[in-house]
Structure formats: structure tokens, C-alpha cells
Amino acid sequence: MKDTQISIKDDFWNEYTELVRTTVIPYQWEALNDRIQDAEPSYSIRNFRIAAGLEKGEFGGWIFQDSDLYKWLEAVAYSLERQPDPELEKIADEAIELIGQAQHENGYLNTYFTIQEPGKEWSNLYEAHELYCAGHLFEAAVAYYRATGKRKLLDISCRFADLIASLFGKEPGQMQAYCGHPEVELALVKLYQVTGEERYLNLSLYFIDERGSKPNYFLEEWERRGRTTIWAQGEPNLEVYQSHIPVREQPVAVGHAVRAVYLYTAMADLARLTGDVKLREACERLWANTTGKQMYITGGIGATHLGEAFTFDHDLPNDIVYAETCASIGLIFWARRMLQLEAKSEYADVMERALYNNVLGSMAKDGKHFFYVNPLEVWPEASAMSPDKFHVKPVRQKWFGCSCCPPNVARLLGSLDDYIYDVSEDGSTVRVHLFIGSEVAFETGGRKIVMN
Ligand SMILES: [Zn+2]
């Protein structure tokens, strides 16, 4: 319900939220600025400076590098909400100014295409992550607005979302398409919730409805590009991108695990908000398959590094596992939405399992070293010598060229209070999902109730 206030009061968890505030967030800011010695460079801030016209140079890092800054800003927002910090807020405001300077007149915002391939925007939705990055921008904007009341990043987001809404859809001249990496769908739901603009909810639903329809957009696009790709080989692999059949018909979890759970998170949101029974049934079916047949005892998902993907039922090798940190974080996002659909304890149990066993273990207690792959069995010599196991690192790393996981850990731990309780709209029912020492305050029947 609205106006519910939750605060964590727990020695174990407060140590982590303090670690995020005092160490993880400042450390990651240094990483985004390429100031960590002997770590792989991020290029993230530099890319924005070049796109904004403040520096000259080539785009650096992965095509989705913008999302690292957005995820960091989201983590900052949660931290500011918990504890005001004018100095940190000033750094964040300056980063937001920079983002605004990199935005095009028409609302478009993506440093890769601005710097490296101007004019080729939206030509490779299969691989180029433009809508994915937009999604992380929207999530950061919603969190920052809620934490500070400042609209700048939200306004940047709405301008971009409005451009996207004008380009994608079923009207003549629009692209009937969706992103290779789901994320914008769940972010548009958040943007709808904070702005009340139904067009954002409808756009999210449009992307969900369009995914996997025939003729397949990714195949058409690939032909149109002269069969060129950025890094994938050959014809688009539709299963890896959960676009082989419409989402409501998908029988089992397939493909890239992070993409899958981000997609299912949005599906669960939309099933709740629209009352779509088929979408809800698909969520329940995919949940049963994922958690009953394709999940490790740690709450890790994604058994193979090839495509960072699910394989098949009960194939859960310990030593060549992938179990990316982001995949377990996405599983927690999805479980949280399933709890909002139906208060079933198994959803909370999976959330707890993934949180304690996979996500927490991925970060060292110093807040500066991380696992990307979370193995259940490590043979350091094999990690160094066997191509099957190069991806399984025996020790946590300082940073990664593809550093999706560390800022994802920061934003999840920073917003953990949102995962503990559900209080019904009239305040008559309180459900506890995570047994974390905490306090919840809300009003019911004109009386203020505090539980701890
Ligand atoms: Zn990751």
C-alpha cells in the first residue's frame, strides 16, 4: 500500500547496506571513470563525455556500456533514500547533467550509436541493446525521482520513452519490433507507475505481445542488414532471445537466463496490472519449469556459458555452471512480482535462496571484488588451463569489461527493504516474505501501526 515505510534493522543486513553506501557505490564510481588500477576499463563516463561533445575519441567497451552508469545511479538513489548525502547527490546530479547533454534533440539517447554508428540507430534490435539501455535509464530515473524529488532524469526518460512510443507499434510506418534483451518492458511499467501515463504501460504490453510473433522480426532485420551481425554467428538464434514463439505459448524457460527472467518479471507485472489470464498462466508455467527443473540449489540459473543460457531439464553441472549473478538477481525480481500476483510462500522461498546463496556470495566482504559466474565447484588449475572452464574464476575479480553484475548487486541490496513485506491496500493484511530484522509502519482504519 502507499505510504508504507520499511526500514531494515538487522546487524547482518545493515552491514551490507552500509557496505554499499560507504564502499561499493564510491568504488563503482571510480570504476565507471576508469580510475581503478589493474582493472578492466569501463569507458562508461568517457563514452557519455564524447557523446556530449566534451571530449574526442572512439566509443569504448561493450555496446550496452551506458547501462552501467544507469544501474549505478539507481543504486545511488536507494542509498540517498536511506541516508541523505549531499556530496554523493552532487556527483549524481552532475552525471545526470552529462546524460542530458548526450541526449539528442528528438529524445534519442545511446552513446554507442551517437559516437560510433550515427544513422544506424534501431537497425540491429537483435543485438544492439538500445531499448535495454533505455530500460535501465528509466529504472534509474524512477528511483532517483522517488529518492530526491528531482525530475531531470525522469524528464530525460520520458522524452526518450515518448520517442520510442512513436517509433514502435502497429500503426503504419512504425517498427513492429522489440529488443533482443528484455528490460525496457519492466522499466516501462515502473515509468507508468510513477508518471501515471498509460501509454508507457501500453508500450510495455506491446513489446510483450509482439515478441515471437510471425514473421519473426529478428530474421527480417538480419536479412535487411545483409545478414551481418555484431558478435553472434549466422542466423539469429531465436530461442536464446526468447523470441521463437509468442511469450504466452512458451512451455519452458529457454535461452539467455538474464534475458529470460527480466522478460518474465515484466510478464508478471503486466499479468497483475491487466488481469491477462493467459499471461499469468505462462508466468506460472515458466516458474514451475525454471525453479523446479532448471535451478541450482543455490538459486543460480543458466547451466551453460554458451549463450549464458538454460540448457534442458535437470542438466545442472557444478563445475562448468554459469549461474550469472544477474540471473539470480533477475530471478529475485521475478519472484517479487509473482508474490504480488499471488501470496504463495514458494516465491518468497526462491527469493531467499537466491539472495543468500548466490547474490551475497558473488560479492566479497570488502565490497570491491565480484563473481560474475557463480560455480558450485572450482578447480583453479582447470579454470586456468581448460577452455571449458575459463569462465569459472577461482577468485572474485576487481571489475569486468562486461560489468553488468556488480552494479546490479548494488541496486538490489540498496532496495532490499522493498522485498520484505506486502501490506494490503486497506492495511488489513501484512505478509512477511523475508525474515530480515526490520520495521514496517503503515496506517489502517485511521491508526498508525508499527511492526518489528
Ligand atoms: Zn551480470
Side-chain angles (χ1 to χ4, degrees):
M1 71 182 292
K2 278 186 209 127
D3 304 324
T4 300
Q5 287 174 334
I6 299 163
S7 46
I8 294 176
K9 296 185 181 226
D10 180 309
D11 288 346
F12 178 81
W13 284 104
N14 280 346
E15 197 181 319
Y16 274 100
T17 47
E18 270 302 283
L19 187 67
V20 168
R21 189 177 73 83
T22 59
T23 303
V24 179
I25 286 175
Y27 179 78
Q28 294 192 357
W29 178 244
E30 293 304 298
L32 293 172
N33 282 281
D34 307 325
R35 294 193 290 247
I36 306 283
Q37 263 195 342
D38 306 324
E40 292 195 47
S42 158
Y43 303 107
S44 200
I45 295 294
R46 189 172 160 271
N47 289 336
F48 275 97
R49 287 184 57 79
I50 297 168
L54 303 172
E55 243 180 74
K56 293 235 174 303
E58 298 272 299
F59 178 89
W62 292 87
I63 202 165
F64 44 80
Q65 217 69 359
D66 292 0
S67 61
D68 286 354
L69 175 59
Y70 300 147
K71 280 194 263 188
W72 179 83
L73 276 170
E74 190 184 338
V76 168
Y78 299 136
S79 178
L80 292 176
E81 205 166 1
R82 181 169 288 113
Q83 188 160 338
D85 180 340
E87 224 167 281
L88 179 62
E89 193 168 330
K90 188 165 169 280
I91 294 172
D93 284 342
E94 283 167 8
I96 290 166
E97 279 296 321
L98 181 62
I99 292 167
Q101 286 175 281
Q103 186 169 34
H104 294 199
E105 205 51 48
N106 68 357
Y108 183 81
L109 183 51
N110 183 286
T111 68
Y112 174 81
F113 283 96
T114 300
I115 299 169
Q116 217 60 29
E117 292 202 78
K120 294 261 181 75
E121 296 87 358
W122 312 119
S123 62
N124 188 347
L125 292 166
Y126 178 61
E127 291 174 294
H129 287 70
E130 281 158 295
L131 291 169
Y132 166 86
C133 288
H136 279 299
L137 167 68
F138 302 164
E139 285 201 89
V142 167
Y144 203 74
Y145 172 69
R146 283 189 171 142
T148 65
K150 292 179 179 169
R151 285 198 61 98
K152 173 106 192 181
L153 198 60
L154 192 62
D155 290 340
I156 290 170
S157 295
C158 290
R159 284 178 61 207
F160 195 11
D162 291 342
L163 174 72
I164 294 167
S166 73
L167 293 173
F168 291 85
K170 286 198 175 299
E171 299 297 318
Q174 289 184 311
M175 282 181 277
Q176 297 194 21
Y178 42 90
C179 190
H181 197 314
E183 153 63 23
V184 73
E185 298 84 353
L186 74 90
L188 281 164
V189 172
K190 289 189 178 182
L191 201 57
Y192 155 71
Q193 285 167 329
V194 82
T195 61
E197 296 288 353
E198 286 207 6
R199 63 181 181 279
Y200 301 142
L201 183 69
N202 292 336
L203 183 59
S204 173
L205 193 58
Y206 167 75
F207 285 135
I208 292 289
D209 287 344
E210 193 65 39
R211 194 170 202 90
S213 63
K214 287 216 167 90
N216 189 282
Y217 185 79
F218 292 146
L219 294 176
E220 287 187 335
E221 183 193 65
W222 180 62
E223 293 288 354
R224 216 167 27 244
R225 275 198 317 273
R227 301 191 164 196
T228 59
T229 51
I230 300 171
W231 59 73
Q233 298 292 316
E235 188 172 303
N237 184 330
L238 303 181
E239 280 206 356
V240 168
Y241 291 33
Q242 293 88 28
S243 53
H244 49 305
I245 50 174
V247 299
R248 289 175 184 76
E249 297 165 25
Q250 297 189 11
V252 294
V254 293
H256 187 276
V258 178
R259 292 168 204 247
V261 284
Y262 280 21
L263 172 66
Y264 307 155
T265 298
M267 286 163 60
D269 264 339
L270 292 166
R272 176 171 56 86
L273 291 167
T274 66
D276 186 323
V277 176
K278 283 258 181 284
L279 204 50
R280 178 184 178 137
E281 286 169 356
C283 289
E284 290 168 348
R285 186 170 63 241
L286 292 163
W287 176 271
N289 174 260
T290 303
T291 61
K293 296 179 177 174
Q294 299 204 73
M295 183 178 77
Y296 285 89
I297 195 167
T298 55
I301 50 171
T304 175
H305 69 286
L306 293 171
E308 308 181 319
F310 292 106
T311 54
F312 60 97
D313 291 354
H314 309 297
D315 175 40
L316 296 165
N318 288 341
D319 57 347
I320 54 167
V321 55
Y322 207 69
E324 180 180 342
T325 308
C326 288
S328 285
I329 290 172
L331 181 62
I332 291 170
F333 295 159
W334 183 24
R336 184 72 188 91
R337 276 30 170 230
M338 294 304 282
L339 278 168
Q340 288 172 312
L341 260 179
E342 187 182 358
K344 254 168 96 174
S345 60
E346 68 167 278
Y347 301 137
D349 290 344
V350 167
M351 199 158 73
E352 187 173 61
R353 181 184 292 272
L355 176 65
Y356 282 86
N357 297 288
N358 191 299
V359 177
L360 270 194
S362 76
M363 181 171 73
K365 291 282 278 186
D366 69 356
K368 297 177 178 177
H369 294 82
F370 302 88
F371 277 139
Y372 184 115
V373 167
N374 293 277
L376 288 83
E377 179 184 322
V378 180
W379 181 8
E381 196 179 354
S383 290
M385 308 288 284
S386 165
D388 286 344
K389 294 178 185 165
F390 285 162
H391 65 288
V392 181
K393 304 292 182 205
V395 292
R396 295 174 182 85
Q397 310 285 298
K398 283 184 178 176
W399 199 249
F400 307 90
C402 171
S403 229
C404 47
C405 302
N408 236 352
V409 173
R411 71 184 182 126
L412 177 72
L413 295 184
S415 57
L416 201 59
D417 36 11
D418 293 341
Y419 294 78
I420 304 174
Y421 299 98
D422 266 322
V423 180
S424 65
E425 214 36 61
D426 63 359
S428 63
T429 312
V430 179
R431 294 192 171 87
V432 184
H433 303 312
L434 291 174
F435 299 111
I436 290 177
S438 55
E439 188 176 283
V440 57
F442 56 96
E443 277 190 28
T444 182
R447 291 174 59 205
K448 183 161 184 179
I449 309 281
V450 179
M451 285 174 50
N452 53 30

